[in-house]
Amino acid sequence: MISEKMEKAFNDQINKELYSEYLYLAMQAYFERLNLKGFVNWFTVQVQEEHAHAMGMFNYVHERGGEVELEAIEKPQTKWASPIACFEQVLEHEQFVTSRINALMDTADEVKDRAALSFLDWYLKEQVEEESNVGGVLATLKLIGDDKKALLMLDKELAARTFVQPVIG
Ligand code: FEO
């Protein structure tokens, strides 16, 4: 049985993951407006990943005999000054999520929930990958600067990203 404190912490994080999904959907819409279909694809995959992250915790809370209580999802930002500004926010957001996963692990430590700690290990590794992936796109965007041709080449590259349903936990 999951402790009340741990259950609340997971419920908070489910909301954060669903907000991530919503934020990236807003970013997907932004790149639709720019007609950069490879970026649109990149965010389509990102949205699916965030949904999978939320569902991983949703299922885990139930598996541990807890209850999921969904909260309202905050309205995300809808406009960005440039693709760079957008990806700067993605990186900042992923760093924030990493800090939240660390805080969840601190709570698991506090209540001596070893099972939750082991479950959260997957999320910690995923965050390392997420930050590295996003940081890579951001670094390329900075190199590209105002070169439209190079931006289209990156767009083509991002069109190849595919979603793989993760096995969480
Ligand atoms: Fe669910 Fe992008 O972290």
Side-chain angles (χ1 to χ4, degrees):
M1 186 81 187
I2 200 165
S3 69
E4 232 175 79
K5 193 164 183 177
M6 206 61 239
E7 179 189 80
K8 189 188 173 317
F10 270 117
N11 271 301
D12 283 349
Q13 190 58 32
I14 289 170
N15 183 268
K16 300 272 184 311
E17 299 292 344
L18 291 174
Y19 171 75
S20 304
E21 180 180 355
Y22 218 32
L23 174 67
Y24 295 147
L25 195 56
M27 290 174 171
Q28 184 180 330
Y30 165 69
F31 281 103
E32 284 279 9
R33 293 196 290 277
L34 296 182
N35 202 30
L36 287 167
K37 298 296 188 190
F39 281 88
V40 167
N41 175 64
W42 193 93
F43 279 101
T44 304
V45 174
Q46 196 69 10
V47 163
Q48 287 171 292
E49 285 201 351
E50 296 307 340
H51 189 71
H53 296 169
M55 289 314 294
M57 291 185 183
F58 181 98
N59 292 331
Y60 184 72
V61 169
H62 287 125
E63 203 183 330
R64 296 284 308 277
E67 284 183 19
V68 167
E69 202 175 315
L70 297 176
E71 298 288 343
I73 302 167
E74 198 186 317
K75 182 184 192 293
Q77 185 177 331
T78 54
K79 291 187 179 94
W80 289 270
S82 65
I84 290 185
C86 182
F87 268 83
E88 271 168 349
Q89 197 184 338
V90 177
L91 185 59
E92 207 174 283
H93 184 67
E94 287 302 331
Q95 287 164 345
F96 166 70
V97 173
T98 302
S99 76
R100 297 313 306 160
I101 299 293
N102 278 322
L104 252 180
M105 290 182 105
D106 287 345
T107 305
D109 237 349
E110 217 182 287
V111 299
K112 298 195 182 342
D113 189 339
R114 304 262 176 264
L117 265 179
S118 139
F119 171 77
L120 286 165
D121 221 35
W122 183 90
Y123 283 86
L124 205 56
K125 288 186 191 120
E126 174 73 359
Q127 283 312 119
V128 171
E129 231 177 78
E130 291 247 6
E131 284 189 30
S132 156
N133 192 0
V134 173
V137 178
L138 180 58
T140 308
L141 276 170
K142 283 181 177 169
L143 270 177
I144 285 172
D146 291 331
D147 184 345
K148 290 223 162 51
K149 236 186 188 170
L151 182 65
L152 289 176
M153 270 169 71
L154 175 62
D155 188 59
K156 215 171 173 185
E157 198 183 300
L158 299 185
R161 187 182 188 197
T162 54
F163 174 66
V164 179
Q165 184 73 45
V167 181
I168 299 176

